[in-house]
Amino acid sequence: MPKVLRCSLLALAIGLASLRSGTACADDSSFSSAVQRYRQGDWREAATAFADCLADEQHAAAAQFYLAECQMQLGEYATARDVYRKVLRDCDKSFQARALFRSGEAAWLSGDAAAAQVTLQQFVRENPHDPSAAYAFTYLGDLSLETGDATRAAAAYRMVVDSYGHTPRVAAARLGLAKSLLILEHTDQVPLALGRVTEHEDQAVAAEAYLLLGRAAYDAGNYKNGLTQFREAWRRFPQSPLARRARLAAAWTLWRLQRFDEISQEVSSLFHEAEWVADYHYLLGMAAYGKRDWARGSEQLGTAIAAGPEHPNRGAMLFYRGECCFQDERFDDARHCFRQVFAEHPQSAWLDDALWGLARVARAERDTAAYQSALVQLQQQTPTSEYLTQMESAGASTGSSDTSIKAEKLLDEAAGLQRDGRHDGALAAYHELIDRGLAIPLRAEALRRGARLHQRLDQHREAQNLFEQLLSKFPESPHAAETIAALARILDREGKTAEAKALRRELVSKFPQSAQAPEAAYWLAHAAADEKDSAPAAQYVAWLLDELENRESLTARQRQLWAQAVCLQCQLAAAEGKWQVVEDAAADALPRLPQGADQVRVDFWLAEAEFRTARFAEASSRLAELDPRTVGIAETWVAMVPLRRAQLAARRQQWTEALKLVDRIGRQYPAFPLQYEVDYLRGRALAGRGEMAAAREAYGRVLDNEAAGDSETVVMAQWMIGETFFHQRDYGQARAAYLAVTERQASADWQSRAALQVGKCWELEDRWDKAQAMYRQAIERWPDAEPEPQLQARLKWAESRRNQTR
């Protein structure tokens, strides 16, 4: 469903429901007239009428809100957003939640994705039980998908599925979750994510669910199951707009299965539809290509190219027509097609394939200059292309003998089979090349490509064998660093962490300038941090940050590594209490980070540094701004944000606010490892409100939580149990609780402080002898503790009182 229509339906559902109650007591004819026009869908007239009511104090808030609602229906999203902001600023609480939600929608629809995300995150944080929360989480998922953050998208959609399963949004959320999982390559989770959406009453929704199931099976290499799902989609819903997409998907799956003769029948219905005729001929051409019918393949692909001048797959069509011409030894036509790819589609994913095709044409025609030109062009335009090493290896070989020429052709054929997804054939060709007595560059390249393909197919033992051969037989290979990194990943997977770490240390030591060294250094630092070995962890982090700082350009993964290294640097400094180091590192990194999860993580470390250095006002402000931005980040530390906010609220004695925050932690993060801290805060807040019995229950949960161990929080909870009894003047129970503190593994300060309170309990019961004995015992047992002066003063007072009462 288009997002404009989707939000319009929600607006009507919210708006009409609330206007029913509003008009019952409305005696103002102008406002009643505006309401009537709104109900009739006469948006322009309703907007004008509501605008006329803004000066009416009785109806100003409602008029302002519904003026914005009319503007949303008219597509005036930026204007509506401004009006919603006025509602949030000027109007009473009855419209606050709805205005906040709709402000986020308006920002999204007006193209301001960043503002929409922040606003909707704030809405779901503040209004988790609002009927619109499921819509807000779904929109947050859509926003994250649009910005390429599939991890946060999945978390937002999963929130709808797990927490709002009774709402109409659950089907859309399940579809979104499945799309996110496909992007994240978690294909095995897609069926569970979709649930029973294939049985949905909306045919478009059900058909899309089948398509996603088919795509998951296809991506996992389970082509037969994928074909079944795609065919189910178009057979069950032949009138659905998605039926044609399902036929195309089924045809491409048949191509993967090498059932080329069935493709024509699968897509026959598309021949008479102008919108799909290019796809029809494209598939027939690919079927001919698969059957090695080069002439027919060239003809059909040529027709597809002519029929689809703006087709998104035109680059692929041109490349495969060039392939057909090349295999048919029509080199001029092949060269023309390959050149068209990079002349007309310079951003195409097929650019390096086309340049590789030009190189093969040049080699077939024995044109050394043209071959070198294609190699240079490939290096300049696609420097990360897999074909580069292949071409360089072929260029470094003798290149003149029949054996060498045949080997080069077999390597080309293997690369083509791999590109087409025919992995068994590609692996057979690579292994044939490895077993031959070939020139070193070609054999090394066959080992490398075969190992990488085995690894991609999760055939780790076979991959390890080939990688080890490559390292032992070609130790000076330019791909040694890449090979060591790949072996380390395989060993990690097998649980051989010591061997993996040794390889990564070798990689950083021998190949510090390689693309793989920063990744290796990060994992070495991470492993050392997990083992509480802070010195090497800090050294690797410092090396990594310095290395990436000095590189001219960074890949997307290296930029992410830099952000993760900053977070690890903060973590290591925090473990040693070096909060100024944490603050400096985070403050320096923040302006250089793009908006996203990495920026949020670093921003949290800055807030934590402010909290730990007792700059509570700054920490409170930063954490409040940070809180809504954590929506969709499924990491343990996220719960620290509301925990710190609750602690700050407790410092201000804002007990109701503190309870709201700890309730949220319990609801959203049930497995939070610092749950005992949450229970302690709950006890503080309940005691602050005078609910002493409930407070003791919360403190009791702290004492019962094994994760709390001998932490100071346990001692504080035991102390606070004594305080609750003390404030209720139950001095016997208070004494018992305080005495338990003196018997725990605690600091001398806490133990002597508890003893001081025990003495005060005896004083309040006029037991001056008991008080005197407790004070004297505490002074002897903890002579250097912080409360020692108070104990001395209380001891003198107790002695004087005891003497007076004799």
Side-chain angles (χ1 to χ4, degrees), residues 583-633:
E583 181 174 351
D584 291 345
D588 178 64
L590 267 178
R592 302 155 66 185
L593 287 168
Q595 194 172 55
D598 289 329
Q599 185 193 62
V600 174
R601 292 185 191 97
V602 173
D603 209 358
F604 168 73
W605 278 114
L606 185 53
E608 182 71 358
E610 291 168 341
F611 179 87
R612 295 297 189 111
T613 53
R615 287 147 59 202
F616 299 123
E618 294 97 322
S620 181
S621 175
R622 187 176 299 278
L623 288 164
E625 184 275 332
L626 187 63
D627 202 349
R629 291 164 53 207
T630 62
V631 170
I633 302 178

Coordinates of all heavy atoms in Angstrom, one line a residue, residues 583-633:
E583 N 36.0 10.8 27.5 CA 35.3 12.0 27.0 C 36.0 12.6 25.8 O 35.4 12.9 24.8 CB 35.2 13.0 28.1 CG 34.5 14.3 27.7 CD 34.3 15.3 28.8 OE1 34.6 14.9 29.9 OE2 34.0 16.4 28.5
D584 N 37.4 12.6 25.8 CA 38.1 13.2 24.7 C 38.0 12.4 23.5 O 37.8 12.9 22.4 CB 39.6 13.3 25.1 CG 39.9 14.3 26.2 OD1 39.0 15.2 26.4 OD2 41.0 14.3 26.8
A585 N 38.0 11.1 23.6 CA 37.9 10.2 22.4 C 36.5 10.3 21.8 O 36.4 10.4 20.6 CB 38.2 8.7 22.8
A586 N 35.5 10.3 22.6 CA 34.1 10.3 22.1 C 33.8 11.7 21.5 O 33.3 11.8 20.4 CB 33.1 10.1 23.2
A587 N 34.2 12.8 22.2 CA 34.0 14.1 21.7 C 34.7 14.4 20.3 O 34.2 15.0 19.4 CB 34.4 15.2 22.7
D588 N 35.9 13.8 20.2 CA 36.7 14.0 18.9 C 36.0 13.2 17.8 O 36.0 13.6 16.7 CB 38.1 13.5 19.2 CG 38.9 13.6 17.9 OD1 39.1 14.7 17.4 OD2 39.3 12.5 17.4
A589 N 35.5 12.0 18.1 CA 34.9 11.1 17.1 C 33.5 11.6 16.6 O 33.2 11.4 15.4 CB 34.9 9.7 17.6
L590 N 32.7 12.1 17.5 CA 31.3 12.4 17.2 C 31.1 13.2 15.9 O 30.3 12.8 15.1 CB 30.6 13.0 18.4 CG 29.9 12.1 19.4 CD1 29.3 12.9 20.5 CD2 28.8 11.3 18.6
P591 N 31.8 14.3 15.7 CA 31.5 15.1 14.5 C 31.9 14.4 13.2 O 31.5 14.8 12.2 CB 32.4 16.4 14.8 CG 32.8 16.4 16.2 CD 32.8 15.0 16.6
R592 N 32.7 13.4 13.3 CA 33.2 12.7 12.1 C 32.4 11.5 11.8 O 32.7 10.8 10.8 CB 34.7 12.3 12.4 CG 35.5 13.5 12.7 CD 36.8 13.2 13.5 NE 37.7 12.4 12.7 CZ 38.8 11.8 13.2 NH1 39.1 12.1 14.5 NH2 39.6 11.1 12.5
L593 N 31.4 11.2 12.6 CA 30.6 10.0 12.4 C 29.3 10.4 11.7 O 28.6 11.3 12.0 CB 30.3 9.3 13.7 CG 31.4 8.6 14.3 CD1 31.0 8.2 15.8 CD2 31.8 7.3 13.5
P594 N 28.9 9.6 10.6 CA 27.5 9.8 10.0 C 26.4 9.4 11.0 O 26.7 8.6 11.9 CB 27.6 8.9 8.8 CG 28.5 7.8 9.2 CD 29.6 8.5 10.0
Q595 N 25.3 9.9 10.7 CA 24.1 9.6 11.6 C 23.9 8.1 11.5 O 23.8 7.5 10.4 CB 22.9 10.3 11.2 CG 21.8 10.3 12.2 CD 20.6 11.2 11.8 OE1 20.1 11.1 10.7 NE2 20.3 12.1 12.6
G596 N 23.7 7.4 12.6 CA 23.5 6.0 12.6 C 23.8 5.3 14.0 O 24.1 6.0 14.9
A597 N 23.9 4.0 14.0 CA 24.1 3.3 15.2 C 25.5 3.6 15.8 O 25.6 3.7 17.0 CB 23.9 1.8 15.0
D598 N 26.5 3.7 15.0 CA 27.8 3.9 15.5 C 27.9 5.3 16.2 O 28.5 5.4 17.3 CB 28.9 3.9 14.4 CG 29.1 2.5 13.8 OD1 29.0 1.5 14.6 OD2 29.4 2.3 12.6
Q599 N 27.3 6.3 15.6 CA 27.2 7.6 16.2 C 26.5 7.5 17.6 O 27.0 8.2 18.6 CB 26.5 8.6 15.3 CG 26.6 10.0 15.8 CD 25.6 10.9 15.1 OE1 24.4 10.7 15.1 NE2 26.1 11.9 14.4
V600 N 25.4 6.8 17.7 CA 24.7 6.7 18.9 C 25.6 6.0 20.0 O 25.6 6.4 21.2 CB 23.4 5.9 18.7 CG1 22.7 5.6 20.0 CG2 22.5 6.6 17.8
R601 N 26.3 5.0 19.6 CA 27.2 4.3 20.6 C 28.2 5.2 21.2 O 28.5 5.3 22.4 CB 27.9 3.1 19.9 CG 27.0 2.0 19.5 CD 27.8 0.8 19.0 NE 26.9 -0.2 18.4 CZ 26.7 -0.3 17.0 NH1 27.3 0.6 16.2 NH2 25.9 -1.2 16.5
V602 N 28.9 6.0 20.3 CA 29.9 6.9 20.8 C 29.3 8.0 21.6 O 29.9 8.5 22.6 CB 30.7 7.5 19.5 CG1 31.7 8.6 20.0 CG2 31.4 6.4 18.8
D603 N 28.1 8.5 21.2 CA 27.4 9.5 22.0 C 27.1 9.0 23.4 O 27.2 9.8 24.4 CB 26.1 10.0 21.3 CG 25.8 11.4 21.5 OD1 26.5 12.1 22.3 OD2 24.8 11.9 21.0
F604 N 26.8 7.8 23.5 CA 26.5 7.2 24.8 C 27.8 7.3 25.7 O 27.7 7.6 26.9 CB 26.0 5.8 24.7 CG 26.0 5.1 26.1 CD1 25.1 5.4 27.0 CD2 27.0 4.1 26.4 CE1 25.1 4.8 28.3 CE2 27.0 3.5 27.7 CZ 26.0 3.9 28.6
W605 N 28.9 7.0 25.1 CA 30.1 7.0 25.9 C 30.4 8.4 26.4 O 30.9 8.6 27.5 CB 31.3 6.5 25.1 CG 31.4 5.0 25.1 CD1 31.3 4.1 24.1 CD2 31.7 4.2 26.3 NE1 31.4 2.8 24.5 CE2 31.6 2.8 25.8 CE3 31.9 4.4 27.6 CZ2 31.9 1.7 26.7 CZ3 32.1 3.3 28.5 CH2 32.1 2.0 28.0
L606 N 30.1 9.4 25.6 CA 30.3 10.8 26.1 C 29.3 11.1 27.2 O 29.7 11.7 28.2 CB 30.0 11.8 24.9 CG 30.3 13.2 25.2 CD1 31.7 13.5 25.8 CD2 30.1 14.0 23.9
A607 N 28.1 10.6 27.1 CA 27.1 10.8 28.2 C 27.6 10.1 29.5 O 27.4 10.6 30.6 CB 25.7 10.3 27.8
E608 N 28.1 8.9 29.3 CA 28.6 8.1 30.4 C 29.8 8.8 31.1 O 29.8 8.8 32.4 CB 29.0 6.7 30.0 CG 29.5 5.8 31.1 CD 28.3 5.3 32.0 OE1 27.2 5.7 31.8 OE2 28.6 4.5 32.9
A609 N 30.6 9.4 30.3 CA 31.8 10.1 30.9 C 31.2 11.3 31.8 O 31.7 11.6 32.9 CB 32.7 10.6 29.9
E610 N 30.2 12.0 31.2 CA 29.6 13.1 32.0 C 29.0 12.7 33.3 O 29.1 13.3 34.3 CB 28.6 13.9 31.1 CG 29.3 14.6 29.9 CD 28.3 15.1 28.9 OE1 27.1 14.5 28.9 OE2 28.6 16.0 28.1
F611 N 28.3 11.5 33.2 CA 27.6 11.0 34.4 C 28.7 10.6 35.4 O 28.5 10.9 36.6 CB 26.8 9.7 34.0 CG 26.1 9.0 35.1 CD1 24.9 9.4 35.5 CD2 26.7 8.0 35.8 CE1 24.2 8.8 36.6 CE2 26.1 7.4 36.8 CZ 24.8 7.8 37.2
R612 N 29.8 9.9 35.0 CA 30.8 9.4 36.0 C 31.6 10.5 36.6 O 32.2 10.4 37.6 CB 31.7 8.4 35.3 CG 31.0 7.1 34.8 CD 30.5 6.3 36.0 NE 30.0 5.0 35.5 CZ 30.6 3.9 35.8 NH1 31.6 3.9 36.6 NH2 30.1 2.7 35.4
T613 N 31.7 11.7 35.9 CA 32.4 12.8 36.4 C 31.5 13.8 37.1 O 31.8 15.0 37.3 CB 33.2 13.5 35.3 OG1 32.4 13.8 34.2 CG2 34.4 12.6 34.9
A614 N 30.3 13.3 37.5 CA 29.3 14.1 38.3 C 28.8 15.4 37.6 O 28.4 16.3 38.2 CB 29.9 14.4 39.7
R615 N 28.9 15.4 36.2 CA 28.3 16.5 35.5 C 26.9 16.1 35.1 O 26.6 15.8 34.0 CB 29.2 16.9 34.3 CG 30.5 17.6 34.7 CD 31.6 17.2 33.9 NE 31.4 17.6 32.5 CZ 32.0 17.1 31.4 NH1 32.9 16.2 31.6 NH2 31.7 17.5 30.2
F616 N 26.0 16.1 36.1 CA 24.7 15.4 36.0 C 23.8 16.2 35.1 O 23.0 15.6 34.4 CB 24.1 15.2 37.4 CG 24.9 14.3 38.3 CD1 25.4 14.8 39.5 CD2 25.3 13.1 37.9 CE1 26.1 14.0 40.3 CE2 26.1 12.2 38.7 CZ 26.5 12.7 39.9
A617 N 23.9 17.5 35.1 CA 23.0 18.3 34.2 C 23.3 18.0 32.7 O 22.4 17.7 31.9 CB 23.1 19.8 34.5
E618 N 24.6 18.0 32.4 CA 25.0 17.7 31.0 C 24.6 16.2 30.6 O 24.1 16.0 29.5 CB 26.5 17.9 30.8 CG 26.9 19.3 30.9 CD 27.5 19.6 32.4 OE1 26.9 19.1 33.3 OE2 28.5 20.3 32.5
A619 N 24.9 15.3 31.5 CA 24.5 13.9 31.3 C 23.0 13.7 31.1 O 22.6 13.0 30.1 CB 25.0 13.0 32.4
S620 N 22.2 14.4 31.9 CA 20.8 14.2 31.8 C 20.3 14.7 30.5 O 19.5 14.1 29.8 CB 20.1 15.0 32.9 OG 18.7 14.9 32.9
S621 N 20.8 15.9 30.0 CA 20.4 16.5 28.8 C 20.8 15.6 27.6 O 20.0 15.3 26.7 CB 21.0 17.8 28.6 OG 20.7 18.4 27.3
R622 N 22.0 15.1 27.6 CA 22.5 14.2 26.5 C 21.7 12.9 26.5 O 21.4 12.4 25.4 CB 24.0 14.0 26.7 CG 24.6 13.3 25.5 CD 26.1 13.1 25.6 NE 26.8 14.4 25.7 CZ 27.1 15.2 24.7 NH1 26.8 14.8 23.4 NH2 27.7 16.3 24.8
L623 N 21.5 12.3 27.6 CA 20.8 11.0 27.6 C 19.4 11.1 27.2 O 18.8 10.2 26.5 CB 20.9 10.4 29.1 CG 22.2 9.9 29.5 CD1 22.3 9.7 31.0 CD2 22.6 8.6 28.8
A624 N 18.7 12.2 27.5 CA 17.3 12.5 27.1 C 17.2 12.6 25.6 O 16.3 12.0 24.9 CB 16.7 13.7 27.8
E625 N 18.2 13.2 25.0 CA 18.3 13.4 23.5 C 18.7 12.1 22.9 O 18.2 11.7 21.8 CB 19.3 14.5 23.2 CG 19.4 14.8 21.7 CD 20.3 13.9 20.9 OE1 21.3 13.4 21.5 OE2 20.1 13.7 19.7
L626 N 19.5 11.3 23.6 CA 20.0 10.0 23.0 C 19.0 8.9 23.1 O 18.9 8.1 22.2 CB 21.2 9.6 23.9 CG 22.1 8.4 23.4 CD1 22.7 8.7 22.1 CD2 23.1 8.2 24.5
D627 N 18.1 8.9 24.1 CA 17.2 7.8 24.4 C 16.4 7.4 23.1 O 16.4 6.2 22.7 CB 16.3 8.2 25.5 CG 15.7 6.9 26.2 OD1 15.8 5.8 25.6 OD2 15.1 7.1 27.3
P628 N 15.6 8.3 22.5 CA 14.8 7.9 21.3 C 15.7 7.4 20.1 O 15.2 6.6 19.3 CB 14.0 9.1 21.0 CG 14.8 10.3 21.5 CD 15.4 9.7 22.8
R629 N 16.9 7.8 20.1 CA 17.8 7.3 19.0 C 18.2 5.9 19.1 O 18.8 5.4 18.1 CB 19.0 8.3 18.8 CG 18.6 9.7 18.4 CD 19.7 10.7 18.6 NE 20.9 10.3 18.0 CZ 22.1 10.7 18.5 NH1 22.2 11.4 19.6 NH2 23.2 10.2 17.9
T630 N 18.0 5.3 20.3 CA 18.5 3.9 20.4 C 17.4 2.9 19.9 O 17.7 1.7 19.9 CB 18.8 3.6 21.9 OG1 17.5 3.8 22.7 CG2 19.8 4.5 22.5
V631 N 16.3 3.4 19.5 CA 15.2 2.4 19.0 C 15.8 1.6 17.8 O 16.3 2.2 16.9 CB 14.0 3.2 18.6 CG1 13.0 2.3 17.8 CG2 13.3 3.8 19.8
G632 N 15.7 0.3 17.9 CA 16.2 -0.5 16.8 C 17.6 -1.0 17.0 O 18.1 -1.8 16.2
I633 N 18.3 -0.6 18.0 CA 19.7 -1.1 18.3 C 19.5 -2.2 19.3 O 19.3 -1.9 20.5 CB 20.6 0.1 18.8 CG1 20.7 1.2 17.7 CG2 22.0 -0.5 19.0 CD1 21.5 2.4 18.2

